[in-house]
Amino acid sequence: TVEAGDQVFGLALDAVVETVKVRREEISRIGAAAAFVHRGRTLPLVELASLLGAPSDPSPSGACVVVTDIAGQSVGLEVDGLGGRMDVMLKPMEGLLAGMDGISGTTLLGDGRVMIVLDLPALLA
């Protein structure tokens, strides 16, 4: 799970290569985009909260980054926080929300809250 914009979202484990902490001074701005060097490769850095249109509260000391591989291209996804790993039953989106890009489905958490599980390939396309 990851946090972005004061909400918790799920990511499919097969979409996650690794998670890293990147210091702010290691992030380079290139026009409106951002990038960082990871294991000798320059990766684009995308802020999840911005993709979702949510407010973000980035840490001034460093960025929590989920490194993902989408169609052979590595991308860093900046999140506000990292949560734990959990096994869930994914329920596909229905009704008006069925056609939404970037969402795989939802799951019900133990405390009764609904968590949206993101479809990273569709979200980052």
Side-chain angles (χ1 to χ4, degrees), residues 27-36 42-44:
I27 298 172
S28 300
R29 293 284 170 196
I30 306 163
F36 69 105
T42 302
L43 304 181

Side-chain angles (χ1 to χ4, degrees), residues 22-43:
V22 179
R23 294 191 324 254
R24 289 286 169 201
E25 57 267 14
E26 295 173 349
I27 298 172
S28 300
R29 293 284 170 196
I30 306 163
F36 69 105
V37 176
H38 179 64
R39 299 189 190 279
R41 294 177 32 196
T42 302
L43 304 181

Side-chain angles (χ1 to χ4, degrees), residues 107-115:
T107 190
L108 191 60
L109 299 175
D111 61 3
R113 293 180 296 147
V114 174
M115 180 174 68

Side-chain angles (χ1 to χ4, degrees), residues 46-48 51 68-70 75-77 102 119-125:
V46 179
E47 190 176 298
L48 180 58
L51 281 177
T68 185
D69 186 66
I70 307 295
V75 177
L77 187 66
D119 178 3
L120 290 182
L123 194 63
L124 294 170

